[in-house]
Structures are given as structure tokens and as C-alpha cells.
Amino acid sequence: MEQENQHTQQDQGQEQGRARAQGQTPGRTGAQPDPTPEPDAVDAIVSQWRAVRPELQTDAMAVFGRIYRLARAMGDRIEKVYQRYGIGRGEFDVLATLRRAAAPHELSPRELTATLMLTTGGMTGRLDKLERAGLVLRSPDPTDRRGLRVTLTPKGLELVDQAVGAGLAEQQRALAALSGEQAEQLGELLRTLLAAV
């Protein structure tokens, strides 16, 4: 019995170690937030506006102010993650779009431009950088003499798979401040809001 308990304790220790390595709190699906969080910078701004313009409806300011700050903060964190792989967010978006395409992970520059909502010049600049790094290859389109195809190289495939995993891990660490149910509810609410704008 004593030996069995030792094995159980070892298993629990290993499980907790894996959870910490993944940025999770051992034994919990998500941290329980403080029921009465401290006022933040957005609260201060809203309070100031209410003092000088009490007739204003400031609920939207509180919501979108936090969405903007969250997007900016997480954007900066994710950018630092991608920098470890020698790429920026713009280059990652191109590689990720090619990765999501069916094998051989190939699209035309026009398809990439439409998906990422870029200008032709902006896409050309990104492709130039990625091709110099050996992450994509541009080749003539066999069905269109004036067209090109952009293909993810094996090096690009390996890099984007590593980068997307690292980026998701960073996002999961931030999301651990919510429970699983809260995260799901937030996702649904943001989907509804995004569809309305």
C-alpha cells in the first residue's frame, strides 16, 4: 500500500509539472477571477468622463477601451514570440494562410492578397522577404502564363508549425485568468459583437 501511495504521489507530481510547463494552474482548468477586481485604467477614464459629461452613456467606452487595450497588449506579446523565429506578424500571417491551404500549401498572390486584405505592393514586400529566407517559393502558374503560384517550402512549413504552437501557448497563458466556461462565454459574446459591426 505504501509503495502504491508513493507511485500515486509521483504521478501527481509529474502531472503538476506538465501543467506548469504548459502555463496552467495544476488541477484547475482556469484560474478563478477575483469577484471584485481592482479598478483599472479604463475605469479611471470612464469615471473622468462621467464627471465632466454626466449625460454621456459610457458603457461602450468601457467595453471597447478594454478590447483595444487587450488587443494591443496581446499583439505585442505575440509579436515577441514570432520574433524568436525571425518573422513578424505580417510574415506569419502569410505563412499561416499557406499552411491552412490544402497540400502542397500553394496559393496565388491574388488569393493571398484577398485573404489578408493587403495591397498588391504590401503582399509583394512580404513575399520578397519570405522568399529570401527560403520560407516560400514563387513559381510560374502552369494554367496562367502571366500568373504566379506561392508555395510553402519544407523550411517554411516547419517554422510556421513551431510559431503557431508558440503563439497559441502565449494566448493560453493569458486566457488562464478565466475559467473554461468564462472563456467560452467571452468567445460567444465577441462573435456576436463582431458580427454587428
Side-chain angles (χ1 to χ4, degrees), residues 34-131:
D34 188 339
T36 56
E38 292 293 326
D40 60 11
V42 176
D43 287 319
I45 292 171
V46 171
S47 178
Q48 290 166 353
W49 276 114
R50 285 174 177 168
V52 298
R53 293 288 305 276
E55 78 281 5
L56 292 177
Q57 295 293 327
T58 55
D59 291 346
M61 184 183 297
V63 171
F64 287 102
R66 290 188 175 93
I67 289 175
Y68 171 75
R69 286 168 179 259
L70 179 61
R72 185 173 61 179
M74 286 307 301
D76 290 343
R77 286 170 62 171
I78 296 299
E79 187 73 29
K80 290 179 181 178
V81 170
Y82 295 154
Q83 285 175 358
R84 300 202 301 259
Y85 299 91
I87 58 175
R89 180 59 185 264
E91 289 77 38
F92 171 82
D93 287 343
V94 175
L95 295 175
T97 301
L98 289 168
R99 180 66 175 94
R100 294 194 306 268
H105 310 299
E106 180 181 277
L107 294 170
S108 70
R110 180 175 297 179
E111 289 170 324
L112 285 168
T113 299
T115 299
L116 299 177
M117 294 183 291
L118 288 172
T119 63
T120 301
M123 177 57 65
T124 299
R126 293 186 187 184
L127 292 177
D128 287 344
K129 181 177 179 179
L130 290 169
E131 191 166 36

Side-chain angles (χ1 to χ4, degrees), residues 139-149:
S139 57
D141 188 336
T143 64
D144 183 355
R145 288 184 298 177
R146 296 180 299 176
L148 292 173
R149 303 296 292 176

Side-chain angles (χ1 to χ4, degrees), residues 64 67 187-197:
F64 287 102
I67 289 175
E188 293 295 334
L189 289 171
L190 290 173
R191 178 188 291 113
T192 300
L193 184 59
L194 185 60
V197 298

